[in-house]
Amino acid sequence: MKRLALKIDVDTYRGTLRGVPALVDLLTRQQAGATFLFSLGPDHTGRAIRRAFRPGFMKKVKRTSVLEHYGLLTLMYGVVLPGPNIGRRCGSTLRAVRDAGFEVGVHCWDHVRWQDGVVGADNAWVETEMTRAVARFTEIFGEAPRVHGAAGWQMNRHALRLTQRLGFAISSDCRGTHPFIPVIDGEIVACPQLPTTLPTLDELIGVDDITADSVANHLLALTAGQSGDQVFTLHAELEGMRLLPQFERLLEGWKEQGFSLVSMADMAASLDLKRLPRHAVCFDEVPGRSGKLLVQGPEFPG
């Protein structure tokens, strides 16, 4: 049976309160598994305005209607308004996801701070951010997290090392084609990566005349006839809200194509992790997204 793992990134306070329950309801009705990855500290979404000078960022903002999807209030957090602490305020919402039978894990502490700062950060900075997230997760759920998925697919050598040292069983921190053991700067990191293999809806909308109305059919055309496992990343702020009908169309279409919709842990459980290939990781551009992301590189040694 071919499988498609659903990885849900939860970036904001609004997405946690509104998008997450809507996704839990939809996934339950569709009898689909999924992994929810939570931002656990302050919502400082408004500080993302600093990316305005990054090549391609404003073009993406225009294509994907950021104000429409995130709302004015969210875009003021961390700039005009103090950022609400998601983990402190939304513990019951997060636990309800686990109690509904879904896998839960760590996305980050502060989404914008991580996405904009980790690439050039030193070990002390990275360790502070990751241990804060792990501690808050453990406080909320009563156990340590087992899965990690980096905000914006942004990582560095120190962060990859810490996925191993902090006890994560699996990670999904990069873009790629199949599960692997990451190697960075010649160092093997013993925490398997299950990379995002499919484009996200916000990367597709507005490109080559693809609209919100047609994006689900476009993505289904990409997966039609594929036999290998896939990982699809969605966002509580998008597919959990204004793009919820498009996501429901995807779920129905993938089931028609013969995919079993699973969590990342379910996918990893059927893998022989000791026999996974080793691949270097590097940074590269991904169509439809600004800046460079962590991507799966050539098999190691190449």
Side-chain angles (χ1 to χ4, degrees):
M1 179 181 293
K2 57 185 181 180
R3 298 160 302 176
L4 193 151
L6 298 170
K7 169 180 165 280
I8 303 171
D9 291 351
V10 186
D11 298 342
T12 67
Y13 179 61
R14 182 175 188 242
T16 305
L17 288 181
R18 295 178 56 186
V20 165
L23 287 168
V24 167
D25 179 67
L26 172 60
L27 292 164
T28 300
R29 286 189 284 107
Q30 291 283 348
Q31 298 182 314
T35 298
F36 286 76
L37 301 175
F38 297 116
S39 300
L40 295 154
D43 180 352
H44 287 151
T45 302
R47 296 180 183 177
I49 191 62
R50 293 174 296 193
R51 300 175 196 161
F53 301 102
R54 182 183 298 172
F57 178 73
M58 293 309 295
K59 184 183 294 185
K60 181 178 183 295
V61 167
K62 184 177 180 180
R63 282 195 300 104
T64 54
S65 304
V66 168
L67 178 60
E68 177 181 300
H69 288 297
Y70 287 85
L72 180 60
L73 192 64
T74 296
L75 297 178
M76 297 173 72
Y77 288 150
V79 180
V80 178
L81 299 174
N85 190 295
I86 299 168
R88 186 177 299 145
R89 292 194 182 189
C90 303
S92 60
T93 301
L94 273 55
R95 284 189 292 271
V97 176
R98 177 203 58 190
D99 295 344
F102 296 99
E103 182 182 30
V104 292
V106 167
H107 195 36
C108 60
W109 175 252
D110 179 329
H111 185 270
V112 171
R113 179 174 168 83
W114 181 272
Q115 192 167 338
D116 291 350
V118 68
V119 171
D122 61 17
N123 184 69
W125 186 97
V126 171
E127 187 162 2
T128 296
E129 294 295 305
M130 291 183 71
T131 54
R132 277 178 175 173
V134 168
R136 178 57 54 80
F137 182 99
T138 304
E139 176 187 322
I140 292 169
F141 293 102
E143 60 183 4
R146 299 288 290 163
V147 57
H148 183 270
W153 300 279
Q154 297 294 320
M155 291 286 277
N156 68 11
R157 176 166 51 91
H158 308 297
L160 284 168
R161 281 176 170 173
L162 276 168
T163 60
Q164 175 181 314
R165 186 151 63 86
L166 290 173
F168 289 102
I170 53 173
S171 290
S172 185
D173 302 316
C174 67
R175 307 295 286 264
T177 58
H178 57 273
F180 68 99
I181 300 296
V183 181
I184 188 163
D185 298 333
E187 179 180 347
I188 297 169
V189 178
C191 181
Q193 288 283 337
L194 274 62
T196 296
T197 62
L198 296 170
T200 64
L201 295 194
D202 59 320
E203 291 166 359
L204 294 171
I205 293 172
V207 175
D208 296 331
D209 297 322
I210 300 171
T211 67
D213 291 334
S214 65
V215 68
N217 286 338
H218 177 85
L219 187 51
L220 288 170
L222 295 180
T223 56
Q226 292 190 8
S227 58
D229 290 343
Q230 304 291 336
V231 176
F232 176 66
T233 294
L234 59 142
H235 295 82
E237 296 75 17
L238 303 178
E239 288 87 346
M241 299 174 72
R242 296 186 71 91
L243 297 180
L244 190 65
Q246 289 84 343
F247 181 52
E248 184 167 17
R249 168 73 184 109
L250 284 173
L251 296 179
E252 293 170 347
W254 281 327
K255 288 196 293 186
E256 291 170 0
Q257 291 178 355
F259 283 101
S260 177
L261 303 175
V262 301
S263 69
M264 287 170 41
D266 288 337
M267 180 173 285
S270 63
L271 300 173
D272 186 347
L273 300 181
K274 294 182 180 180
R275 297 175 64 89
L276 287 181
R278 298 171 180 173
H279 282 256
V281 289
C282 56
F283 290 90
D284 205 350
E285 294 181 354
V286 170
R289 194 160 293 275
S290 63
K292 293 186 176 183
L293 318 179
L294 188 72
V295 299
Q296 181 177 1
E299 192 165 356
F300 183 87

